[in-house]
Amino acid sequence: MNSLKVIMFVFSLFLVGSAFGEGKKFKIGGEAFELTEGKMLVIVNRVDRVDTLASGPITGGKFVLEGEIEEPCVALLKVAEYDGGFVFLLESDVPYEMRLWKNKREEIKGGKLQGELNTYMAIVDKTNKEMEKMKAEIKKASAEKHFRTASELQGKLEKARDKAQKELDALVEKNKDNIFAAYIQTLGMGRMDLPALKNCYQRLSEKARQLEPGKQVAARIAALEQVGVDAVAPNFTLSTPEGQEMALYDVKGKIKVIDFWASWCGPCRMENPNMVKLYQDFKDKGLAVISVSLDEKKDKWLEAIKKDGLTWLHLSDLKGWTGDVVRLYNIDAVPTIFVLDENNRIIAKNLRGEKLRALVSEKLK
């Protein structure tokens, strides 16, 4: 919706209790102001796919969507071909009323779980505003050398934060076995490292672990463990620029560095001179470098290899972020670097510059 100046949806969502198939029927009717045509979608993320629960045309700013759910879920209402959307907790047998504005806080009424989410977000918003005000007062008092006042305000700020956290924790505890708690506790999991993910998962109740957010955390933990330090790196086969297929396990070296990069990645290109020097200094001592590109255009890939003077093995399927090896290694950013020993065991991840040189030097001395 980022190309629309102001968007407001006003609609009611009625979820019907009678079942068909194995789920419960729901119907969404609404109006999209300043958007006269397009397609409206209700989608949900699964462990291995994205399901569309309902879709329908927007005609004259109005739309009707029908579908079914088997259990309460985290859903996204969005306009097809626009980024973003509105995340909400979808239940059966309750009416929803929603008003959404672009760049403004939405108003959502309907459903016990959505009500709990509204309460949670209201506490967060209220506390953030209070804390921002107190931080400004602390800054002012400090600048005026009223240090006692600043200290008192700092104490109030910490108390407000602690009070809010207790209220939020109580909400989560009260809902520990439902989708609300699972959703709140797994927010931002895509940016977590493996230890943080495991800690997140441990906080979930056994029932919450069986819900979709819990399943997604478990799946991501398993995927990260597969390419974690001390794991044996999964084998893969990709093509060289000349079209020859090459498998990771066929590359020999006492130390192997897998560098996931792309020609369009500025930080990757900035790191390349360090990798060139590293390779020159240690290639005769047992270092092998395998650069795996996330490029989609072969000419750009080859141009970058030549321009940066990268004389080691290069592989790619030219599928960008959709390639199998990207999913296999859980690559969500470039550059991403894996360091392997001669048995393809991962001994380090994401070392660059002097830290990478220090490890290679130690292993190949």
Side-chain angles (χ1 to χ4, degrees):
M1 300 183 194
N2 48 357
S3 68
L4 300 178
K5 293 182 179 178
V6 181
I7 296 180
M8 181 174 76
F9 298 107
V10 184
F11 59 90
S12 297
L13 169 59
F14 298 96
L15 299 173
V16 182
S18 59
F20 71 100
E22 295 184 4
K24 295 183 178 181
K25 185 177 179 181
F26 67 83
K27 182 177 181 180
I28 302 173
E31 186 169 3
F33 295 95
E34 296 193 7
L35 188 62
T36 59
E37 60 182 20
K39 180 186 286 187
M40 189 68 77
L41 306 173
V42 176
I43 62 177
V44 61
N45 285 318
R46 306 295 188 189
V47 170
D48 57 351
R49 67 189 188 281
V50 176
D51 283 344
T52 300
L53 299 183
S55 66
I58 302 169
T59 306
K62 297 182 180 181
F63 60 90
V64 176
L65 305 173
E66 294 183 285
E68 64 177 27
I69 55 172
E70 297 180 8
E71 60 184 6
C73 62
V74 181
L76 178 74
L77 177 74
K78 66 169 294 181
V79 179
E81 300 181 4
Y82 285 93
D83 293 333
F86 160 55
V87 177
F88 66 107
L89 301 183
L90 179 58
E91 296 179 77
S92 62
D93 303 321
V94 289
Y96 283 67
E97 294 182 0
M98 309 183 188
R99 296 172 181 257
L100 307 178
W101 294 266
K102 181 176 173 60
N103 298 327
K104 292 186 179 180
R105 181 174 173 79
E106 62 274 357
E107 296 176 2
I108 310 111
K109 295 180 181 179
K112 175 182 178 295
L113 297 177
Q114 183 62 44
E116 295 289 73
L117 181 58
N118 290 347
T119 300
Y120 188 98
M121 296 309 300
I123 295 171
V124 171
D125 289 344
K126 179 183 177 183
T127 304
N128 284 341
K129 289 176 182 177
E130 290 177 349
M131 291 179 66
E132 286 301 314
K133 181 180 178 181
M134 282 189 279
K135 285 178 181 178
E137 292 174 350
I138 291 170
K139 184 177 180 181
K140 182 175 182 292
S142 297
E144 296 174 351
K145 301 188 184 306
H146 298 158
F147 300 119
R148 181 175 180 178
T149 300
S151 178
E152 291 174 351
L153 288 170
Q154 182 65 37
K156 289 181 180 180
L157 184 149
E158 292 173 1
K159 287 182 179 179
R161 181 174 54 209
D162 292 344
K163 178 176 180 293
Q165 190 60 58
K166 288 179 180 178
E167 291 175 353
L168 296 176
D169 290 345
L171 271 175
V172 172
E173 178 63 24
K174 184 175 73 170
N175 292 279
K176 64 181 181 180
D177 289 334
N178 64 44
I179 196 73
F180 165 79
Y183 171 62
I184 291 296
Q185 290 178 296
T186 57
L187 279 174
M189 73 172 190
R191 298 184 296 274
M192 294 179 185
D193 59 16
L194 186 56
L197 269 177
K198 287 184 175 181
N199 184 52
C200 172
Y201 189 72
Q202 288 301 318
R203 294 199 306 268
L204 297 177
S205 69
E206 286 298 325
K207 187 170 183 179
R209 292 177 187 178
Q210 302 307 312
L211 301 175
E212 198 63 35
K215 291 178 182 178
Q216 291 177 18
V217 173
R220 183 161 175 78
I221 288 172
L224 288 177
E225 285 181 333
Q226 180 175 280
V227 290
V229 174
D230 290 332
V232 175
N235 197 17
F236 59 82
T237 300
L238 293 171
S239 296
T240 67
E242 296 75 28
Q244 177 185 356
E245 290 195 343
M246 179 70 70
L248 170 65
Y249 287 4
D250 290 338
V251 178
K252 305 305 178 184
K254 293 180 180 178
I255 293 293
K256 297 196 282 190
V257 174
I258 309 174
D259 180 18
F260 288 89
W261 75 300
S263 66
W264 43 259
C265 168
C268 302
R269 303 293 293 274
M270 291 176 65
E271 184 65 24
N272 278 343
N274 294 328
M275 194 70 76
V276 168
K277 185 67 167 59
L278 182 73
Y279 184 66
Q280 289 174 343
D281 292 345
F282 291 96
K283 64 180 181 179
D284 295 330
K285 297 181 180 181
L287 174 65
V289 177
I290 306 100
S291 282
V292 179
S293 174
L294 271 65
D295 278 282
E296 296 181 2
K297 297 181 179 180
K298 186 174 182 179
D299 58 338
K300 296 294 184 182
W301 177 36
L302 299 183
E303 180 183 335
I305 292 173
K306 182 178 180 180
K307 185 174 182 178
D308 292 1
L310 314 181
T311 58
W312 49 80
L313 176 64
H314 291 272
L315 300 172
S316 182
D317 56 13
L318 296 176
K319 293 182 180 179
W321 294 103
T322 65
D324 291 340
V325 70
V326 172
R327 292 191 294 273
L328 183 64
Y329 275 74
N330 275 276
I331 304 302
D332 56 13
V334 287
T336 294
I337 292 173
F338 292 81
V339 184
L340 281 54
D341 65 13
E342 59 187 343
N343 298 312
N344 296 302
R345 182 177 62 88
I346 299 171
I347 59 175
K349 295 172 63 174
N350 289 326
L351 296 182
R352 303 177 195 168
E354 290 305 314
K355 291 184 178 180
L356 178 58
R357 170 174 283 273
L359 177 64
V360 172
S361 177
E362 177 188 347
K363 298 296 183 181
L364 296 180
K365 61 185 177 181

